């Protein structure tokens, strides 16, 4: 591939334009196109094998396992954190539900207690009222009984007074006291 | 005043330590070898030193290493499926090596290692050797079924099998020439257009035109950065695709 280079090879009769040192420089490499200079191939391949071998060893044994471990650890960490957050959320939800249940229970209990108290008080009042009523009724009936006995006693007195008065009247009119049996008959007849 | 430039000079190997000769072959520790080891050093810096702390929340360099890792792992997985994981070190090393060497080439006055065909061919030959050796080890002679397209009438096979073989054999050539030619042509183009700026500046009234090649040089430089990254990606992707043939030789 030793081709003349148009930019360095002097055109015929134009030697004066070329810096002399430069011509020597190009000539030192015999004008060959450096990438195709076969004399360096073996050396380049050896250095390539050494450099790339070293790189491959570093990547295979150190770098890639480490990066993989880092990425894996991060993924694990993220997953664990998300799981934890999820667990905490579930816990919080459960706590919220428990709170609401407790609140509802407490309200129900309060209502029950109020109702029971109300019922008890009502029952007590009713008992007292009934007792009072019974007492009053007893008093009333005893008073009525007293009135009746008094009335009967008074009525009994009325008969004897009427008998005495009738006997006195008859005695005054006839001068003679009526027979008690006749008097009693007469009293019974007028009593009705 | 005469100004000359040699756009080829940048590709010359400069022996730093000469180690003698074997026949025609000159053994030397050249600047090319130095750049290759420097690339290994930079890659180790990104992927080994920067990940030493194994932080769950990565720093910049560790992020870079993780991005490269995930990028290559995705590429490899898309091309080869789950079976390709064992080739991750190979594809990752190839990608990083080519990428860093290409980018080194973009530093002014630096040497572009990948502009030498023997380097890219060495890498491509490595890929094809791995494909063939692994394919034969895993599938035996069944691996050569790669060259026989299924569901094709027998007479057509007489034509298709040689084509398949030629296409397979040309893979290391195309793989290496693609990378080498891109880097070489890009560097030559940049050098020539940059030289036009100097030439026009020295050409009297013509110097008013010198911004034109300057802008072109800037645009070419941007393009070459793209090419440097893209060719590394292409090399890694094609490697993954070829490895897929070794893993699943059925057509």
């Amino acid at each position: 591939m030793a081709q003349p280079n148009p930019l360095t090879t002097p055109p015929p009769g134009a030697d004066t334009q070329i810096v002399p040192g430069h011509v020597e420089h190009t000539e030192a490499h015999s004008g060959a196109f450096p990438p195709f200079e076969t004399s360096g191939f073996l050396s380049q391949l050896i250095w390539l094998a050494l450099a790339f071998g070293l790189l491959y060893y570093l990547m295979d044994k150190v770098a890639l396992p480490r990066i993989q471990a880092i990425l894996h650890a991060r993924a694990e960490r993220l997953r664990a954190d998300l799981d934890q957050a999820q667990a905490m959320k579930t816990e919080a939800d459960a706590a919220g539900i428990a709170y609401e249940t407790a609140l509802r229970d407490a309200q129900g209990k309060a209502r029950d207690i109020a109702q029971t108290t109300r019922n008890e008080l009502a029952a007590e009042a009713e008992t007292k009222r009934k007792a009072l009523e019974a007492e009053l009724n007893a008093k009333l009936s005893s008073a009525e009984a007293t009135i009746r006995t008094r009335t009967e006693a008074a009525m009994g007195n009325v008969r004897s007074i009427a008998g005495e008065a009738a006997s006195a009247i008859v005695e005054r009119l006839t001068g003679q006291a009526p027979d008690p049996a006749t008097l009693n008959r007469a009293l019974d007849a007028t009593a009705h | 005043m005469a100004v000359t430039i040699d756009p080829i000079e940048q590709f010359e190997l400069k022996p730093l330590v000469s180690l003698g000769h074997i026949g025609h072959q000159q053994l030397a520790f050249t600047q090319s070898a130095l750049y290759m080891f420097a690339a290994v050093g930079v890659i180790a810096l990104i992927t080994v030193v920067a990940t030493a702390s194994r932080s769950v929340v990565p720093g910049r360099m560790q992020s870079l290493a993780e991005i490269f890792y995930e990028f290559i792992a995705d590429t490899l997985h898309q091309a080869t499926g789950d079976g390709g994981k064992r080739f991750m070190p190979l594809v990752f090393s190839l990608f990083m090596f080519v990428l860093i060497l290409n980018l080194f080439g973009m530093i002014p006055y630096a040497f572009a290692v990948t502009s030498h065909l023997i380097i890219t061919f060495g890498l491509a030959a490595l890929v094809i050797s791995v494909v063939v050796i692994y394919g034969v080890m895993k599938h035996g002679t069944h691996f050569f079924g790669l060259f026989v397209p299924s569901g094709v009438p027998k007479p057509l096979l007489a034509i298709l099998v040689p084509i398949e073989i030629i296409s397979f054999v040309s893979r290391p050539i195309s793989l290496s020439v693609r990378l080498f030619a891109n880097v070489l042509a890009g560097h030559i183009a940049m050098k020539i257009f940059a030289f036009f700026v100097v030439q026009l500046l020295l050409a009297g009234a013509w110097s008013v035109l010198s911004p034109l090649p300057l802008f072109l040089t800037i645009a070419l430089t941007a393009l070459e950065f793209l090419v440097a990254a893209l060719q590394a990606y292409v090399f890694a992707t094609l490697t993954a695709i070829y490895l897929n043939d070794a893993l699943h030789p059925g057509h």
Side-chain angles (χ1 to χ4, degrees):
Chain A
M1 278 307 248
Q3 59 187 18
N5 189 324
L7 282 167
T8 51
T9 313
D15 315 35
T16 48
Q17 276 202 330
I18 302 302
V19 183
H22 201 89
V23 175
E24 278 171 24
H25 185 70
T26 0
E27 276 173 354
H29 291 270
S30 54
F33 189 52
F36 294 132
E37 185 82 76
T38 52
S39 68
F41 277 8
L42 180 64
S43 176
Q44 275 183 296
L45 280 179
I46 292 169
W47 293 120
L48 172 67
L50 287 175
F52 192 75
L54 175 65
L55 177 66
Y56 185 90
Y57 178 81
L58 277 177
M59 295 301 108
D60 188 32
K61 298 291 174 216
V62 187
L64 296 185
R66 190 186 288 169
I67 296 171
Q68 197 171 15
I70 290 169
L71 293 177
H72 188 252
R74 183 174 307 141
E76 280 292 298
R77 173 80 174 272
L78 281 178
R79 204 180 50 72
D81 282 3
L82 283 177
D83 284 359
Q84 202 184 341
Q86 185 63 42
M88 279 175 157
K89 187 179 176 295
T90 318
E91 216 171 284
D93 285 351
I97 289 167
Y99 163 76
E100 273 178 15
T101 320
L103 189 64
R104 245 197 325 274
D105 284 359
Q107 278 170 346
K109 253 181 218 160
R111 248 196 321 271
D112 285 355
I113 289 170
Q115 189 61 44
T116 323
T117 314
R118 240 188 334 264
N119 289 348
E120 273 171 11
L121 288 177
E124 206 176 311
E126 182 73 5
T127 330
K128 274 187 183 158
R129 193 178 61 78
K130 275 184 181 152
L132 198 59
E133 234 169 44
E135 202 183 323
L136 288 177
N137 282 344
K139 275 186 181 165
L140 196 61
S141 49
S142 78
E144 272 170 3
T146 313
I147 289 166
R148 209 164 30 247
T149 47
R150 295 274 170 83
T151 310
E152 275 167 13
M155 288 310 276
N157 291 348
V158 165
R159 187 180 167 100
S160 64
I161 289 166
E164 278 170 23
S167 150
I169 291 166
V170 169
E171 198 177 343
R172 178 84 53 95
L173 288 173
T174 61
Q176 195 183 350
D179 171 32
T182 319
L183 190 65
N184 273 342
R185 265 196 316 272
L187 279 175
D188 287 341
T190 55
H192 299 289
Chain B
M1 181 189 164
V3 178
T4 57
I5 192 160
D6 183 356
I8 303 302
E9 186 212 350
Q10 58 176 322
F11 304 115
E12 273 167 20
L13 286 175
K14 295 192 176 70
L16 302 174
V17 181
S18 197
L19 302 168
H21 291 261
I22 297 178
H24 177 58
Q25 291 292 322
Q26 188 181 14
L27 295 186
F29 187 78
T30 59
Q31 95 273 41
S32 171
L34 183 66
Y35 276 98
M36 285 196 270
F37 283 107
V40 173
V42 168
I43 297 165
L45 208 64
I46 298 170
T47 60
V48 177
V49 179
T51 58
S53 62
R54 297 160 191 263
S55 321
V56 172
V57 180
R60 290 180 196 189
M61 290 293 263
Q62 191 185 318
S63 278
L64 195 62
E66 287 173 14
I67 288 166
F68 281 136
Y69 179 93
E70 290 191 320
F71 177 65
I72 294 302
D74 279 354
T75 305
L76 187 61
H77 189 264
Q78 274 173 17
T80 63
D82 286 330
K85 270 189 183 147
R86 71 180 62 215
F87 295 118
M88 181 65 188
L90 176 67
V91 179
F92 187 79
S93 302
L94 280 170
F95 174 75
M96 294 304 288
F97 196 59
V98 173
L99 177 69
I100 298 297
L101 286 178
N102 282 352
L103 290 177
F104 273 179
M106 292 307 295
I107 300 170
Y109 299 107
F111 176 74
V113 178
T114 40
S115 67
H116 275 248
L117 180 59
I118 189 66
I119 298 291
T120 60
F121 184 77
L123 294 174
L126 171 69
V127 170
I128 298 301
S129 312
V130 169
V131 169
V132 173
I133 293 169
Y134 182 81
V136 172
M137 268 172 54
K138 183 125 187 270
H139 303 283
T141 52
H142 181 62
F143 172 68
F144 297 104
L146 190 63
F147 304 124
V148 187
S150 60
V152 174
K154 284 244 156 94
L156 264 181
L157 281 181
I159 308 165
L160 281 179
V161 169
I163 291 175
E164 289 283 341
I165 291 173
I166 291 167
S167 125
F168 187 83
V169 170
S170 62
R171 276 177 183 180
I173 300 166
S174 68
L175 191 58
S176 53
V177 169
R178 182 182 297 109
L179 174 57
F180 143 80
N182 267 285
V183 175
L184 184 84
H187 279 72
I188 292 176
M190 278 196 291
K191 192 107 179 180
I192 288 176
F193 278 106
F195 178 57
F196 283 167
V197 182
V198 181
Q199 270 190 323
L200 280 171
L201 279 175
L202 294 172
W206 291 109
S207 61
V208 292
L209 290 177
S210 61
L212 291 176
L214 177 65
F215 288 133
L216 213 58
T217 308
I218 292 168
L220 267 178
T221 308
L223 180 71
E224 283 311 300
F225 271 106
L226 176 71
V227 166
L230 194 68
Q231 286 304 319
Y233 172 64
V234 167
F235 201 96
T237 306
L238 285 175
T239 300
I241 290 168
Y242 296 160
L243 287 169
N244 186 45
D245 282 344
L247 287 159
H248 315 106
H251 246 279

